[in-house]
Amino acid sequence: MKIIAGPASQLLASKVAQQLNTPPTICDYKRFPDGELYTRIRDDSIDDVTIIQSTPTDSDYVALLQLIDACEEAPTINVVIPYMGYARQDKVFNRGEPVSARAIGRTINADRVFTVNIHERSILEHFNADSFDLDASHLIGNHIRSLNLTDPLIISPDVGALELAKSASADIGIPYEQLEKTRHSGESVTIAEKEIDVSGRDLILLDDMIATGGTMAESIRMLKEQGAADIYVACIHPVLARNAVVRLYNAGVKEIISTDTLEKPQSSISVAPLIADTLKSL
Ligand code: R5P
């Protein structure tokens, strides 16, 4: 099987290929003078392919479509989208809006699509493919266990992240709690006051993604006021837009922990074994 590394998932795809004992296929990505994207796979042998490409930007999404098209003659096309952009617009919140996740999903034609802890599982129905969501929560759980924390507690900042917190906590026997978030805009959230026994304890705030950092920063502030010791934030998808990293350190975070569904300096946990094991089992 050929492993094709999209421009947004070069290292992750290379690690997956390494675990499958196959060299990743070399591809070229550049821009035409007018700004359009040029993509070329430098191997025209006909074989099953797995394309690994996150889509944090519109350009990454176009590259994914180009790669799928370039593999048209492959007997089997697997597409791994470790982080899928637009997944948070999974429904119409205000009249006149698109279901962006559906608009994107419908354009992905493949034999199989794999996502990793996708924001909302119903999005899987939109792909023109058999689709599966891989769960990286146990990888986060194992990392948390290795931190040697004092009387730790995992906290989900909203109900949406509760399943993730439960799952990570079940693996390692650390209790979990949940906060209540209200979103006012893309950048502004409030976290309802909640008395939790956090005094002197190390906390791990866990969410599927950190975007502007607003959710985590507000949570950290409240929990610090209640006497928490070290506060770590952990997520599957480190979007970390704009000044999110500084916002989190300004709020007093000890460390930002994430996977490499998006390749950032904070991506200390690799989902490569999860993807490689899944591909091996096909
Ligand atoms: C939303 O439902 C997600 O699970 C995250 O809580 C959200 O995307 C975090 O966004 P931000 O970092 O901008 O507060």
Side-chain angles (χ1 to χ4, degrees):
M1 177 189 288
K2 279 194 282 194
I3 300 293
I4 312 265
S9 301
Q10 296 270 287
L11 181 57
L12 172 59
S14 299
K15 286 182 181 171
V16 171
Q18 194 173 49
Q19 295 193 14
L20 296 173
N21 289 318
T22 182
T25 303
I26 303 278
C27 301
D28 294 335
Y29 302 105
K30 53 190 180 188
R31 292 206 175 264
F32 287 108
D34 60 3
E36 289 180 354
L37 200 60
Y38 171 87
T39 297
R40 181 178 177 201
I41 300 171
R42 287 193 169 266
D43 175 352
D44 55 8
S45 61
I46 295 182
D47 199 355
D48 294 340
V49 297
T50 294
I51 300 164
I52 304 179
Q53 166 70 341
S54 284
T55 57
T57 67
D58 297 355
S59 158
D60 289 316
Y61 164 64
V62 172
L64 176 59
L65 294 182
Q66 290 177 326
L67 289 170
I68 294 171
D69 194 75
C71 293
E72 201 177 37
E73 290 178 19
T76 304
I77 304 178
N78 301 313
V79 172
V80 183
I81 311 177
Y83 168 77
M84 180 183 166
Y86 292 96
R88 284 182 295 174
Q89 184 76 28
D90 58 324
K91 58 183 173 224
V92 172
F93 296 93
N94 298 295
R95 285 182 63 189
E97 291 175 351
V99 178
S100 303
R102 179 177 63 198
I104 301 277
R106 280 174 171 167
T107 64
I108 307 293
N109 294 296
D111 292 284
R112 304 182 190 94
V113 171
F114 299 92
T115 54
V116 178
N117 294 92
I118 194 160
H119 182 66
E120 170 54 53
R121 287 180 63 90
S122 62
I123 295 169
L124 297 177
E125 294 162 18
H126 301 313
F127 296 113
N128 279 315
D130 291 337
S131 48
F132 310 89
D133 189 45
L134 310 183
D135 179 16
S137 60
H138 61 285
L139 298 174
I140 301 251
N142 287 342
H143 187 89
I144 292 171
R145 181 170 27 209
S146 75
L147 293 173
N148 280 326
L149 303 176
T150 304
D151 196 9
L153 180 65
I154 295 177
I155 299 188
S156 128
D158 61 24
V159 67
L162 186 57
E163 284 309 311
L164 198 56
K166 265 189 203 169
S167 170
S169 106
D171 280 345
I172 51 177
I174 292 179
Y176 65 89
E177 268 284 357
Q178 184 213 320
L179 303 177
E180 294 293 340
K181 174 177 82 178
T182 306
R183 180 167 288 287
H184 307 288
S185 72
E187 297 208 4
S188 161
V189 299
T190 46
I191 302 288
E193 287 295 323
K194 182 172 181 182
E195 283 299 321
I196 305 177
D197 174 22
V198 295
S199 184
R201 300 175 78 173
D202 290 338
L203 308 181
I204 310 98
L205 280 160
L206 177 58
D207 205 347
D208 65 334
M209 71 179 84
I210 303 174
T212 66
T215 301
M216 291 301 201
E218 286 306 307
S219 305
I220 293 168
R221 275 196 198 94
M222 190 187 82
L223 294 163
K224 280 270 175 202
E225 276 168 21
Q226 293 185 17
D230 288 340
I231 304 185
Y232 296 74
V233 297
C235 65
I236 305 286
H237 309 297
V239 177
L240 298 173
R242 300 184 190 153
N243 58 357
V245 171
V246 174
R247 275 182 94 175
L248 294 174
Y249 278 90
N250 177 269
V253 76
K254 170 85 172 169
E255 190 185 333
I256 303 169
I257 299 162
S258 79
T259 80
D260 55 358
T261 60
L262 293 168
E263 295 175 0
K264 300 280 171 83
Q266 296 78 13
S267 305
S268 49
I269 303 167
S270 183
V271 295
L274 180 65
I275 296 170
D277 288 349
T278 303
L279 294 175
K280 277 183 206 162
S281 71
L282 295 180

